[in-house]
Amino acid sequence: MPQEQDGRRVGPEELIQRGLIARRYYVDGRTRVQIADEFGLSRFKVARMLEDAVSSGMVEITVHAPESIDIELSRALKDTFDLRMAFAVRTITGGEGELWDAVGRVTADLLTEIVTPSDVLGVDCGRTLARMTTHLDSIAACDVVQLTGMAGEIGSNSAELVRRITALGGGRAWSMYAPLVVSDAQTCAALRSSRGIQETLSHHRSVTKAVVSIGAWNPGLSQVYDLLAPGEAQQWADHGVVAESCALMLDRDGRRIHGLDDRRMGVSEESLRSIEHVIAIAAGESKRDAVLAVLKSGLVSSLIIDANTAASLVR
């Protein structure tokens, strides 16, 4: 029986052809050009018939989103801060370990999807990043570069994370066996002049994708904060520091606060800003202000955080 669509009658022959074209495209995975050649139609006609198949209800498209990701909140986060990608990750209890694990899992899934053999992957350090490596089942055989010196527990320092990723993917590792923050400028300069560290630092300019942590300027929430003597950490707080990423300190408006640059072992601000895609990760509402500062700084292009913190950012 003829049907009506957009005020015009659609005959059975067109309905059959529309159904065949929809099947070729959505089920058989053929391209519009291939379908156009098969049916002797223009690709614009094929595109119109595919649109009609959806609008008429002949084809129903259902998106099955991962249960752990809040799609609407992720979209709001992306739009609010003009991000390339944003993921708001749901958890059941909101416990610290669960947050690290959930954000780490989504980060691992994303890297598996977007990293290619032609990329050079830059890696920061942190507990959530350490959880990320435990969820990596595969990754492209790309070079992996350590962005920052070592801090934190043995299993979560940046050199160990680079080792794990390259062992999995088979790419080359560019490591930096030095602390994240050095006691004085002279020692830092001596370390930077060593051949191995110079090679790694030179590869920062080649990084195409990077994953970095966000630290809040409080005990236990920033590896940089925890490396400093309490008096010095408080001194920087008095100067307005609320966040750091790759040991680059920021105030609440995202402005850089210089001071550790001659003692930090890590990617320069210039090199970090030149990376095509920088993914920042953070877990826990205690990092809310730090996440906001990093977003304002423009240092990162994508964000993966827990849903509760995401909700507080887009209210």
Side-chain angles (χ1 to χ4, degrees):
M1 293 289 291
Q3 297 180 8
E4 288 195 6
Q5 183 174 335
D6 298 330
R8 68 182 182 89
R9 291 172 65 82
V10 180
E13 185 177 351
E14 183 176 340
L15 287 173
I16 291 171
Q17 188 178 52
R18 182 189 296 173
L20 288 171
I21 287 174
R23 176 173 291 277
R24 291 287 192 275
Y25 187 75
Y26 291 107
V27 178
D28 299 336
R30 296 175 68 83
T31 68
R32 295 179 182 184
V33 173
Q34 290 171 329
I35 296 169
D37 290 341
E38 179 183 350
F39 287 87
L41 302 171
S42 72
R43 55 192 176 90
F44 302 105
K45 176 67 172 178
V46 170
R48 174 60 188 271
M49 295 187 79
L50 288 172
E51 291 176 2
D52 289 344
V54 174
S55 62
S56 68
M58 177 179 287
V59 172
E60 293 184 356
I61 299 174
T62 303
V63 177
H64 295 282
E67 292 183 2
S68 62
I69 297 175
D70 187 317
I71 298 298
E72 295 302 323
L73 191 52
S74 298
R75 171 60 65 178
L77 193 63
K78 178 180 182 295
D79 292 345
T80 300
F81 296 101
D82 194 25
L83 294 167
R84 181 170 180 171
M85 296 180 177
F87 300 93
V89 185
R90 297 193 191 102
T91 57
I92 298 173
T93 66
E96 190 175 65
E98 184 188 7
L99 290 172
W100 297 341
D101 198 64
V103 172
R105 184 184 298 109
V106 171
T107 306
D109 290 344
L110 179 63
L111 292 185
T112 300
E113 179 182 350
I114 68 172
V115 173
T116 70
S118 61
D119 280 316
V120 177
L121 178 64
V123 179
D124 190 12
C125 58
R127 292 167 297 197
T128 308
L129 275 174
R131 294 294 183 97
M132 179 269 292
T133 61
T134 67
H135 292 291
L136 269 179
D137 296 321
S138 64
I139 194 165
C142 64
D143 286 357
V144 184
V145 182
Q146 186 177 335
L147 291 179
T148 53
M150 298 184 294
E153 300 175 359
I154 293 176
S156 62
N157 70 60
S158 47
E160 172 62 15
L161 303 189
V162 168
R163 185 197 67 77
R164 290 184 198 171
I165 296 170
T166 51
L168 186 64
R172 292 179 297 175
W174 298 97
S175 301
M176 189 163 38
Y177 293 99
L180 176 57
V181 178
V182 182
S183 58
D184 59 82
Q186 184 175 357
T187 303
C188 185
L191 287 171
R192 282 177 172 270
S193 67
S194 67
R195 180 178 177 181
I197 291 178
Q198 278 190 340
E199 286 183 342
T200 297
L201 292 174
S202 70
H203 277 81
H204 286 168
R205 295 190 296 272
S206 303
V207 173
T208 57
K209 292 184 174 74
V211 58
V212 301
S213 297
I214 295 176
W217 203 250
N218 284 295
L221 298 178
S222 162
Q223 292 185 331
V224 178
Y225 185 103
D226 291 341
L227 286 171
L228 302 178
E232 184 179 7
Q234 183 57 51
Q235 176 188 1
W236 292 119
D238 293 341
H239 280 79
V241 175
V242 300
E244 57 84 12
S245 187
C246 294
L248 298 168
M249 299 187 298
L250 304 167
D251 69 11
R252 65 179 55 256
D253 294 317
R255 293 185 295 252
R256 277 270 279 123
I257 293 184
H258 301 272
L260 290 179
D261 288 357
D262 61 349
R263 291 167 50 200
R264 59 182 289 276
M265 299 294 298
V267 63
S268 67
E269 179 182 358
E270 180 184 7
S271 292
L272 185 60
R273 290 189 184 277
S274 70
I275 297 172
E276 176 188 350
H277 193 180
V278 180
I279 304 158
I281 68 174
E285 290 187 79
S286 56
K287 290 196 173 183
R288 190 250 182 209
D289 290 345
V291 171
L292 186 57
V294 170
L295 291 174
K296 289 180 177 179
S297 74
L299 290 171
V300 306
S301 49
S302 293
L303 179 66
I304 305 175
I305 58 173
D306 61 283
N308 287 338
T309 305
S312 71
L313 288 168
V314 299
R315 283 181 187 140

